[in-house]
């Protein structure tokens, strides 16, 4: 009857419209789209993604490890944290006032490098020269590599937040050349471990919560991010003033 025919026509039109909306244009996967900053980085070539991660890690590592053995004396809070690492080698009980993971990691590196735990009291004051038997440069290098990995995580976090490829790379590069970040992560301190594990936790959470969005939801997300950055810039300006 007429009602049944009308129902079939409406249903057919709805299915046809749905197929048109779901269709993905072939241009979205063309080679030129790999360099389009408006396309989310997850749609780009996996090879390009991997190359960027390796390049950022190599760049960060070269910056962090450059001339790292120049100062062969105890610098700043190394007088505390280098000795905290040696505490774990002495085999004696002591009360650790901080969460121990970072200092235990330093202690483990010192153990494998055959540090002499009896030198604990020799490093009580800054500018004290390290003994030749204690390979301080390798400990600093190990900590510097954690810092380099943190800069890579900065890129991955930016990617998970939906930033374009150039923006995600910029975030990582800014962290690599940040002077304060460089200083605090190239000496025997625990800051490098702290920032690495914080960044890793953020990245893991974003990876867990990330969902594939449709084109309409993607546009809404971009508009929301734009407003968020506008509010942040205004807040920074007000706070700085």
């Amino acid at each position: 009857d007429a009602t049944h025919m009308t129902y079939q026509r409406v249903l057919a039109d709805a299915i046809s419209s749905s197929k048109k909306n779901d269709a993905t244009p072939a241009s979205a996967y063309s080679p030129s789209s790999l360099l389009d900053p408006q396309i989310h980085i997850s749609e780009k070539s996996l090879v390009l993604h991997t190359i960027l991660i390796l390049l950022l890690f190599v760049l960060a590592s070269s910056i962090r490890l450059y001339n790292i053995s120049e100062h062969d004396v105890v610098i700043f809070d190394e007088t505390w944290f280098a000795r905290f690492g040696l505490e774990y080698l002495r085999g004696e009980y002591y009360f650790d006032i901080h969460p121990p993971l970072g200092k235990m990691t330093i202690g483990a590196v010192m153990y494998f490098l055959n540090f002499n735990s009896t030198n604990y009291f020799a490093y009580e004051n800054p500018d004290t020269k390290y003994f030749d038997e204690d390979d301080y440069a390798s400990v600093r290098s190990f900590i510097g590599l954690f810092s380099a990995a943190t800069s890579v995580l900065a890129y991955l976090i930016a990617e998970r937040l939906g930033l374009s490829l150039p923006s995600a790379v910029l975030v990582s590069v800014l962290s690599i050349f940040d002077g304060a970040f460089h200083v605090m992560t190239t000496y025997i301190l625990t800051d490098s471990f702290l920032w690495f594990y914080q960044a890793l936790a953020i990245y893991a959470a974003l990876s867990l919560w990330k969902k594939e969005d449709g084109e309409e939801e993607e546009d809404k997300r971009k508009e929301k991010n734009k407003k968020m950055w506008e509010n942040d810039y205004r807040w920074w300006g007000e706070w700085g003033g």
Side-chain angles (χ1 to χ4, degrees):
D1 57 350
T3 303
H4 183 67
M5 293 178 65
T6 301
Y7 172 77
Q8 287 183 327
R9 190 179 302 112
V10 171
L11 181 61
D13 291 343
I15 294 174
S16 176
S17 176
S18 176
K19 289 182 178 179
K20 289 180 180 180
N21 292 334
D22 291 340
T24 302
S27 60
Y29 301 99
S30 64
S32 60
S33 69
L34 292 177
L35 300 179
D36 185 357
Q38 299 302 320
I39 296 179
H40 193 272
I41 195 169
S42 61
E43 297 174 357
K44 299 181 185 297
S45 168
L46 179 60
V47 175
L48 174 62
H49 190 55
T50 304
I51 290 174
L52 280 173
I53 290 174
L54 293 175
L55 288 176
L56 289 171
F57 183 75
V58 170
L59 175 62
S61 299
S62 62
I63 296 295
R64 295 292 179 264
L65 303 184
Y66 175 74
N67 221 11
I68 202 167
S69 62
E70 178 182 10
H71 303 290
D72 60 351
V73 297
V74 176
I75 301 292
F76 185 49
D77 272 359
E78 284 187 338
T79 185
W80 293 106
F81 291 98
R83 293 168 66 222
F84 281 141
L86 290 173
E87 285 277 16
Y88 284 99
L89 304 186
R90 297 177 66 195
E92 300 177 4
Y93 171 80
Y94 87 103
F95 178 73
D96 195 336
I97 62 174
H98 300 113
L101 179 59
K103 285 175 282 186
M104 291 179 71
T105 305
I106 293 174
V109 176
M110 289 179 169
Y111 172 80
F112 287 110
L113 292 173
N114 295 316
F115 266 65
N116 187 349
S117 62
T118 61
N119 294 335
Y120 171 83
F121 295 101
Y123 301 138
E124 286 184 322
N125 300 311
D127 289 332
T128 301
K129 191 177 185 304
Y130 283 105
F131 291 104
D132 293 336
E133 61 184 327
D134 292 337
D135 188 3
Y136 67 94
S138 293
V139 182
R140 289 177 181 173
S141 299
F142 180 82
I143 294 172
L145 291 177
F146 265 80
S147 172
T150 304
S151 294
V152 173
L153 283 171
Y155 164 77
L156 294 173
I157 289 171
E159 175 261 321
R160 282 292 181 259
L161 289 173
L163 272 66
S164 64
L165 175 62
S167 298
V169 172
L170 178 62
V171 169
S172 180
V173 171
L174 289 175
S175 73
I176 292 173
F177 289 98
D178 185 278
F181 187 47
H182 174 79
V183 170
M184 296 301 292
T185 57
T186 51
Y187 293 108
I188 305 177
L189 307 172
T190 58
D191 300 75
S192 186
F193 304 118
L194 175 66
W195 288 324
F196 172 80
Y197 289 118
Q198 285 180 333
L200 184 62
I202 293 172
Y203 174 69
L206 291 173
S207 298
L208 179 65
W209 297 331
K210 185 179 181 298
K211 296 180 180 179
E212 294 295 333
D213 298 327
E215 291 183 3
E216 183 177 351
E217 293 186 0
E218 183 73 9
D219 292 339
K220 290 181 180 178
R221 180 189 60 77
K222 290 180 180 179
E223 183 64 26
K224 182 179 179 180
N225 285 347
K226 180 181 178 182
K227 292 181 179 178
M228 179 188 70
W229 282 110
E230 290 174 354
N231 292 333
D232 284 346
Y233 287 136
R234 185 169 62 251
W235 183 87
W236 290 338
E238 294 171 353
W239 184 260

